[in-house]
Amino acid sequence: MRLKLYWQILIALVLAVIAGSLSGTEGSFLGVHWYPVYKFLGTLFMNALKMIIVPLIVSSIITGVGGMGNTQNLGRMGGKTLLFYSVSSLLAILTGLLFVNLFNPGIVDGEPAKAILGLDAAAFAEVADKVQGHSAADLSGIFLSMVPPNIIAAAANGQMLGLIFFSLLFGYFMTRIDRESGDLLNRFWSGIADVMMGITMLVMKFAPLGVFGLVAKTVAGIDADQMDDLVVSLGTFTLTVLLALAVHVFVTMPVLLVTVARVNPVKHFRAMLPAMLTAFSTASSSATLPLTMECVRDNAGVSNRTASFVLPLGATVNMDGTALYECVAAMFIAQAYGLELSFVTQFTVVLVALLTSIGVAGIPAASLVAITIILTTIGLPAEAIGLILAVDRILDMFRTSVNVFSDSCGAVLIAKTEGEKNILQ
Ligand code: ASP
């Protein structure tokens, strides 16, 4: 009997933590260094996932929209999707806001913690490098990136918002041209979507190996100083983020699942586990998208039609974990800088977190650029982001899993309200 995929991935995760912490970056056995092996496995898996994303997003959105039949269906589905995305992200942000006001992680012994945390200019240069070119640099940039001047360049540079917008238009106008050409295009794109799912299934078989490589590499790369930072100065911040994320996944989403969709949250959680664990290891919701679609369709029982429309959009646009993190991080930094947190400031943080979470790309560390936007909006220097760098990676893993989980809940909820019968109850 073969172990279920999520067990295989979980075992790989545990082994990775053990192997990574034993070997560190220097460990070797019989002259073979472990670290490059982890790196190789992880990169191979990430590459395989990334290889699928562009054709998968384009073909599934085009077939999703093209398959709606008429503008009315499309409008209804689009309306529900946007409603779910905004409500769930807003709930996530408010949860974060509540916890950050309860724990005040930026205040230590009644004093703003800036001096204790220390700020490292070199670290900021590193972030600037990381975020550059991955995301829009300001709010109007987010809207501009929706309409890319060159669709091929957008695909090559991973500008998913632009790609999504183009695919939505393409799918829509496919239903408006003459029937024969429309049918032909429909068959062509759904053929591509099916092939991409086939390739996804193949890549999924290697998920345990890929997860092992990615996690072992991350664990091996953690140095003792970073651990000290994590435990001592950034402990309360880390805890605040994790608790708020946990409330969103284990309270808010299950309540929505039970009340709106009458779906058993435990079963849904189990159905989504392979995708969530992959999101955790890759820290990228875009790279996880193929697995998310697979789990939502095959394990959770959502139709192809709904999954193809809701999930590719969700992977880029709906990021509950990211929105929550942006809010907590910006508030934490503001507290640490001794900024007065009036109602207006907090409201601005919530609003900008909501807007920027839409524009953030589904790639590792993408939130950082959004947080700098929030910081400058409320009058703090962008380099203040340096305060949270030490713990960003580990929190990225958690918030990405939350992003993916929320997308999957959206798919189930929408499928249910569309009257679908095969959903796992
Ligand atoms: N890594 C996140 C994702 O891919 C984005 C972020 O919050 O940095 O969903």
Side-chain angles (χ1 to χ4, degrees), residues 217-233:
K217 178 180 155 251
T218 312
V219 173
I222 296 177
D223 58 32
D225 286 354
Q226 242 177 333
M227 273 324 252
D228 281 353
D229 266 348
L230 196 132
V231 177
V232 184
S233 51

Side-chain angles (χ1 to χ4, degrees), residues 57 85 160 164 284-289 292 310-319 360-363 403-404 407:
I57 287 201
Y85 288 169
M160 293 306 162
I164 288 174
S284 166
S285 18
S286 286
T288 312
L289 177 65
T292 316
V310 178
L311 294 173
L313 269 182
T316 307
V317 171
N318 181 43
M319 299 204 172
V360 164
I363 55 172
N403 291 343
V404 165
D407 294 342

